[in-house]
C-alpha cells in the first residue's frame, strides 16, 4: 500500500440498526509487496495477541460455569509452575497482567525438546513461570508469559486442548468457529489450504523461511501453535462478529456472558490500563485515535491487527494487516492506526 505501511489489509466495522447487527467490510492491497495476489474479504490473518481476548472470554465462561475460579492459584492446577515466581499468581492476576511476570522471553531458543511436544510445552510453562519483571509490584506489566500459563490452566481444568476450549466456549456459540481458529490445531488438509490463502508474515530466522499459514510468534510455534497468548487466525468479518458479541454482552443483549461479568472484566484496576482480557484507550496518542468514546475497550496484535469496541456508539472496528511482512522492523503502523480509526469514526458519525 501507499507508504508501505503494510502490503495489504482488511477491515470490518459492525453496529446495530433497528436492533439488528450490520457489518461493513473492505479490503485493499496485496498479500505481499512482491506477489500480485490481492487481499480478499475472507483473507485469513495471524491475529497475534488478539488471541488474548478470545482466551480471556473463554476463561470467564469457565468461571461462570464453576469449572475454575478467578482466585485459583496457578500452582493449584499446574505442577509445572511450582517453584516459579508466578506459582502463587491467581487466574485473575494473570488475565489482567498483574502477576509480576516479564513481558516476553525467547524461550523457544532454549527449549531442550522437539517443538510442539508435551515435553516442550511443560518446559516452556515451567520456564515462563520463573521469568519475573523487577519492580512490577503494584502495576500492570503486559505479559505474553502470563497468558501462556493461563492457556494451560484452562486446558487442564477442561480436560481438553486449549483450541477446543476456545472453540466450545466462544467461537462455536457465536458461529465463527470455521473462520477463527488455531492454525496449529488444523488437520493437514486444512492447514495446506490456509497456507495458500493466508497473508504471509515475517521471514523467521529461527525457522529459516517466510512464515505463512503458521503462527508468527516463535514461543507459540515452539508450543505447537496453540497458546493463550497467540496462535489464532481469522478474517476481519469474523473478528468483528466477536467484537459485536462483546458489545452485546456489555449491554446485556448476549447470553455468552452477562453484563455484570463483562462490566467486572472491564472495571478499572490500579497500576495501568489493562483490564481482564482487554486494554482501554491510553493517554494521547492512543492507537484507537481520538474520536472513539472514553469507554472504548480493545486490543492490538503485533502482526498488525487490532479490535476496538465503543459502547457509546455500539460500534466495533477491526483492522487486520500483515505489517510484519517481510520484517517487524517496519513500525509505520503506529502512525497509521490512530488516523485510520479517527477516519472511520468520522465517517460513521456523519453517515
Amino acid at each position: 500500500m501507499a507508504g508501505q505501511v503494510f502490503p495489504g489489509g482488511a477491515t470490518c466495522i459492525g453496529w446495530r440498526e433497528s436492533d439488528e447487527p450490520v457489518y461493513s467490510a473492505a479490503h485493499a492491497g496485496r498479500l505481499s509487496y512482491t506477489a500480485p495476489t490481492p487481499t480478499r474479504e475472507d483473507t485469513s490473518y495471524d491475529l497475534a495477541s488478539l488471541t488474548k481476548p478470545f482466551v480471556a472470554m473463554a476463561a470467564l465462561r469457565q468461571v461462570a460455569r464453576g469449572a475454575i475460579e478467578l482466585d485459583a492459584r496457578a500452582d493449584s492446577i499446574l505442577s509445572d509452575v511450582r517453584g516459579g515466581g508466578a506459582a502463587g499468581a491467581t487466574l485473575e492476576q494473570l488475565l489482567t497482567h498483574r502477576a509480576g511476570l516479564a513481558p516476553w522471553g525467547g524461550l523457544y531458543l532454549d527449549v531442550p525438546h522437539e517443538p510442539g511436544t508435551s515435553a516442550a510445552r511443560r518446559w516452556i510453562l515451567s520456564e515462563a513461570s520463573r521469568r519475573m519483571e523487577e519492580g512490577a509490584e503494584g502495576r500492570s506489566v503486559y505479559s505474553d508469559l502470563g497468558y501462556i500459563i493461563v492457556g494451560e490452566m484452562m486446558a487442564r481444568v477442561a480436560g481438553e486442548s486449549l483450541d477446543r476450549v476456545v472453540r466450545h466456549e466462544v467461537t462455536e456459540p457465536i458461529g465463527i468457529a470455521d473462520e477463527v481458529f488455531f492454525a496449529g490445531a488444523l488437520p493437514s488438509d486444512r492447514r495446506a489450504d490456509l497456507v495458500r490463502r493466508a497473508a504471509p508474515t515475517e521471514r523467521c530466522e529461527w525457522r529459516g523461511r517466510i512464515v505463512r499459514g503458521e503462527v508468527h510468534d516463535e514461543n507459540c510455534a515452539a508450543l505447537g501453535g496453540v497458546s493463550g497468548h497467540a496462535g489464532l487466525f481469522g478474517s476481519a468479518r469474523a473478528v468483528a462478529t466477536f467484537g459485536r458479541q462483546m458489545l452485546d454482552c456489555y449491554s446485556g443483549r448476549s447470553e455468552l456472558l452477562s453484563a455484570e461479568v463483562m462490566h467486572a472484566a472491564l472495571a478499572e484496576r490500579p497500576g495501568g490500563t489493562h483490564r481482564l482480557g482487554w486494554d482501554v484507550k491510553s493517554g494521547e496518542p492512543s492507537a484507537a485515535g481520538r474520536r472513539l468514546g472514553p469507554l472504548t475497550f480493545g486490543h492490538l496484535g503485533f502482526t498488525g491487527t487490532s479490535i476496538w469496541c465503543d459502547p457509546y456508539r455500539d460500534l466495533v472496528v477491526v483492522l487486520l494487516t500483515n505489517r510484519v511482512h517481510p520484517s517487524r522492523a517496519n513500525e509505520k503502523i503506529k502512525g497509521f492506526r490512530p488516523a485510520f480509526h479517527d477516519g472511520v469514526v468520522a465517517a460513521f458519525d456523519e453517515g
Side-chain angles (χ1 to χ4, degrees), residues 9 23 45 58 77 80 90 130 133 200 204 219 262 268 296 342-343:
Y23 297 94
Y45 285 88
I77 297 171
D80 305 290
T90 66
R130 302 173 189 277
E133 178 79 354
C204 176
N219 283 336
M262 196 68 189
E268 185 176 356
T296 296
D342 282 346

Side-chain angles (χ1 to χ4, degrees), residues 25-315:
H27 55 93
R30 299 174 295 177
L31 294 185
S32 74
Y33 291 116
T34 57
T37 309
T39 61
R40 300 174 10 151
E41 186 175 327
D42 63 350
T43 294
S44 192
Y45 285 88
D46 182 333
L47 301 182
S49 283
L50 298 201
T51 300
K52 292 183 178 75
F54 280 88
V55 167
M57 298 305 99
L60 288 181
R61 292 260 292 176
Q62 289 182 312
V63 170
R65 200 172 55 256
I68 191 172
E69 296 180 351
L70 282 174
D71 61 0
R73 287 169 49 119
D75 61 1
S76 71
I77 297 171
L78 304 172
S79 60
D80 305 290
V81 305
R82 292 172 187 164
T90 66
L91 178 63
E92 182 168 13
Q93 288 173 327
L94 292 163
L95 286 168
T96 59
H97 300 286
R98 285 166 171 82
L101 283 159
W104 193 78
L107 308 183
Y108 69 98
L109 293 171
D110 300 319
V111 61
H113 308 285
E114 183 69 22
T117 61
S118 59
R121 293 186 70 86
R122 294 189 66 176
W123 185 90
I124 290 172
L125 183 61
S126 175
E127 191 64 22
S129 72
R130 302 173 189 277
R131 301 288 181 96
M132 307 303 291
E133 178 79 354
E134 186 176 351
E137 186 176 353
R139 63 187 179 94
S140 68
V141 177
Y142 180 82
S143 177
D144 281 359
L145 305 184
Y147 268 73
I148 289 175
I149 297 171
V150 162
E152 291 299 312
M153 291 174 70
M154 293 168 61
R156 296 282 177 91
V157 300
E160 59 182 359
S161 59
L162 180 63
D163 60 284
R164 290 181 176 272
V165 174
V166 173
R167 180 184 179 98
H168 294 161
E169 298 291 357
V170 178
T171 60
E172 207 165 56
I174 63 179
I176 59 171
D178 290 336
E179 300 165 86
V180 175
F181 46 80
F182 283 98
L186 292 177
S188 57
D189 58 334
R190 285 197 63 194
R191 194 173 300 185
D193 177 64
L194 180 63
V195 169
R196 287 190 295 270
R197 62 185 178 83
T201 53
E202 192 172 22
R203 176 168 183 79
C204 176
E205 295 302 321
W206 177 55
R207 284 170 277 195
R209 61 180 180 273
I210 292 285
V211 174
R212 186 174 185 182
E214 60 180 311
V215 66
H216 171 265
D217 182 272
E218 295 94 341
N219 283 336
C220 184
L223 285 161
V226 177
S227 179
H229 75 292
L232 281 179
F233 279 64
S235 67
R237 171 65 179 263
V239 177
T241 300
F242 170 68
R244 179 67 264 159
Q245 279 288 323
M246 295 301 98
L247 287 169
D248 286 350
C249 291
Y250 187 92
S251 61
R253 291 194 187 104
S254 173
E255 295 182 359
L256 192 73
L257 291 168
S258 70
E260 180 182 8
V261 167
M262 196 68 189
H263 282 248
L266 294 169
E268 185 176 356
R269 290 169 167 82
T273 61
H274 296 114
R275 310 300 200 246
L276 196 157
W278 299 95
D279 200 358
V280 296
K281 289 180 64 176
S282 59
E284 300 295 348
S286 168
R290 299 182 178 182
R291 292 177 178 267
L292 285 167
L295 297 178
T296 296
F297 59 95
H299 214 286
L300 304 181
F302 186 80
T303 51
T305 59
S306 63
I307 178 173
W308 291 103
C309 305
D310 183 350
Y312 174 75
R313 292 179 174 84
D314 207 16
L315 174 70

